[in-house]
Amino acid sequence: MTEDLQAYIEAHTSPEPEPLAALRRGINLRCLYPRMCSGHVQGRLLTLLTAMAAPRRALEIGTYAGYSALCIAEGLPEGSTLDTVEIDDEMEPRLRRLFSTSPLGSKITLHIADAEQLLPSFPPETFDLVFLDADKRRYLETFRAVLPLVAPGGFILADNTLWDGKVADPDAKPDPQTAGIRRFNDAVAADPSLLTVILPLRDGLTLIQKKENMIKALLFDLGGVIMDIRRERCVEAFRQIGMEKPEDFLGDFSQKGPFLRLEEGAITPDCFRDEIRRLIPVPVTDVQIDGALMRFLIGIPAERLRQLEELHSRYPVYMLSNTNEIMWNGFIVKEFDKDGHNLPYYFDGCVTSFDVKCCKPAPGIFLEAVRRFGLNPAETLFLDDSAANCRAAEALGFQTAHVTQGQSLIDLVREAEAAR
């Protein structure tokens, strides 16, 4: 942009209030990196956008010298407040003097902290407006940490998203800041739950709205969705210990005979083992029977656990599984005990068929999940690899996603969000 055009824009933008003009002059004289100050035009835009959004509570990440905080506070409705976070403790005395002497200071709460450590202390959906101007190397990580704190329909304004044009320059030096902003821009543009536009103002300002989301919770099947399974391995294992035609009892999505009764919680593990022995003409131990049964399960890929962790940062996540007590205690629970995490780290609650004595696709097991977790089916996405189970869930008012092998959980949820 030419200097003449910049001057024209400033001349045709509402005047900068004198206290802000004085503050900006002081920043130019006394602060390192004065370009970090929002300045006249962007400052007026922040005030205008804040007034348009009318947030009850706003958040700024990256206070710097306080100019943008005062612009946001100026646009706040009566009774609304701004929390502003600055990591540099050397700025604290200057900022506290500034806010204590400003008529807008009563609206502002200053936090001297690392934002990524502070953000978990705020309840979900606390803020209606966020101004993000933090460490560009970790823009995406900070954004992901703040997104659950933004109310549906709320706004995030991200500064410096063009980074002197380096983001679009294939010959630009691959410095960490440019790489961080590119990752942020790519992720935000690809997220269907967000409405996004980049304004070519100063160094780039991205306006983001968090869409009203009809998906408020996720309800996952286990086998074939989160955990890899293979029926043929189990069939062959029972055949090797002497059972004739185990395939008559074992299905991909439903079981028969003692396998079904164990899954329904109608018999104990010991009773199941006794029933299996009656189907095998040679002596077999408990260990052999349990081992053959658990051959159905392969395990959970590390990438799938990562995806589950990311989704759990955005939604309440629950499990609804047809399984049995032997598999649950002998393999499933242990499979989540990795990297210092455990089953409750990934799920807010689980309903199993052997516990409630009812298997999918019967309505009872879905209704138990609704009762136990306080779910609204219309706002819950159910993900299962069985078409019959998905149809049963739809009949009860759930949103559903039919999972096929190899599909990304994150992609499935994004597709469901975009379809709403």
Side-chain angles (χ1 to χ4, degrees), residues 115-420:
E116 290 185 48
Q117 295 178 11
L118 176 68
L119 292 176
S121 68
F122 293 109
E125 301 184 2
T126 294
F127 301 103
D128 303 297
L129 177 69
V130 175
F131 181 49
L132 178 60
D133 193 12
D135 181 356
K136 307 305 179 283
R137 293 165 294 187
R138 294 190 56 80
Y139 238 28
L140 181 56
E141 289 76 12
T142 306
F143 174 79
R144 284 176 172 162
V146 81
L147 188 59
L149 307 183
V150 180
F155 298 90
I156 300 174
L157 314 176
D159 203 10
N160 305 115
T161 50
L162 295 182
W163 205 237
D164 283 332
K166 291 180 182 179
V167 291
D169 183 357
D171 298 322
K173 179 183 176 182
D175 60 274
Q177 289 82 4
T178 302
I181 295 174
R182 282 175 175 166
R183 286 195 306 121
F184 168 81
N185 288 344
D186 291 344
V188 168
D191 192 335
S193 70
L194 306 173
L195 184 62
T196 304
V197 63
I198 297 180
L199 300 181
L201 175 66
R202 292 184 77 243
D203 203 17
L205 181 69
T206 299
L207 278 55
I208 303 165
Q209 184 178 36
K210 182 178 180 180
K211 294 180 184 177
E212 297 280 353
N213 191 3
M214 286 303 293
I215 298 174
K216 302 293 178 64
L218 304 178
L219 183 62
F220 282 99
D221 177 34
L222 177 64
V225 175
I226 294 168
M227 181 171 289
D228 288 341
I229 58 175
R230 189 165 300 154
R231 167 185 173 269
E232 293 77 10
R233 290 177 10 135
C234 187
V235 168
E236 181 58 28
F238 274 104
R239 187 178 288 119
Q240 287 182 3
I241 64 172
M243 181 182 287
E244 294 185 8
K245 296 186 177 180
E247 63 271 17
D248 291 348
F249 297 95
L250 292 161
D252 287 318
F253 302 114
S254 61
Q255 317 309 325
K256 295 179 181 178
F259 296 92
L260 175 60
R261 289 192 288 277
L262 180 67
E263 203 163 80
E264 290 177 330
I267 57 175
T268 66
D270 285 338
C271 289
F272 167 77
R273 296 178 186 114
D274 289 341
E275 289 196 28
I276 293 298
R277 287 189 179 94
R278 288 195 283 271
L279 297 171
I280 299 176
V282 296
V284 289
T285 66
D286 289 357
V287 172
Q288 285 177 295
I289 294 170
D290 291 1
L293 182 63
M294 285 190 283
R295 290 290 289 170
F296 211 117
L297 309 174
I298 296 175
I300 307 174
E303 171 61 17
R304 205 165 295 148
L305 284 176
R306 187 201 66 76
Q307 292 181 29
L308 193 60
E309 180 181 23
E310 181 175 332
L311 290 170
H312 198 192
S313 72
R314 297 169 51 198
Y315 298 94
V317 174
Y318 305 96
M319 183 197 298
L320 183 65
S321 175
N322 285 355
T323 189
N324 61 70
E325 190 174 348
I326 295 173
M327 288 180 172
W328 185 259
N329 294 324
F331 188 93
I332 293 169
V333 173
K334 297 175 183 177
E335 189 67 7
F336 288 94
D337 291 342
K338 297 176 179 178
D339 300 323
H341 302 321
N342 55 19
L343 188 70
Y345 176 82
Y346 297 100
F347 294 95
D348 297 290
C350 302
V351 168
T352 60
S353 58
F354 71 87
D355 178 38
V356 301
K357 297 179 170 36
C358 180
C359 286
K360 295 175 290 183
I365 190 169
F366 292 97
L367 296 175
E368 176 61 20
V370 169
R371 184 197 67 79
R372 190 177 295 186
F373 306 134
L375 300 177
N376 179 348
E379 296 178 344
T380 302
L381 179 64
F382 173 65
L383 301 96
D384 199 296
D385 61 333
S386 163
N389 292 344
C390 287
R391 287 193 296 270
E394 288 172 3
L396 295 170
F398 285 89
Q399 302 180 53
T400 64
H402 183 207
V403 182
T404 58
Q405 187 174 8
Q407 284 185 288
S408 160
L409 301 181
I410 291 175
D411 287 347
L412 283 165
V413 174
R414 283 176 176 167
E415 289 169 8
E417 289 172 338
R420 300 300 179 263

Side-chain angles (χ1 to χ4, degrees), residues 87-101:
I87 195 170
D88 184 358
D89 57 3
E90 292 186 0
M91 297 297 293
E92 181 174 8
R94 178 190 184 99
L95 289 169
R96 294 208 182 278
R97 285 195 302 272
L98 173 67
F99 296 150
S100 66
T101 57

Side-chain angles (χ1 to χ4, degrees), residues 29-46:
L29 288 172
R30 301 183 187 92
C31 292
L32 291 173
Y33 312 114
R35 284 189 61 196
M36 291 170 62
C37 175
S38 293
H40 173 197
V41 176
Q42 182 167 306
R44 294 300 82 205
L45 179 61
L46 288 176

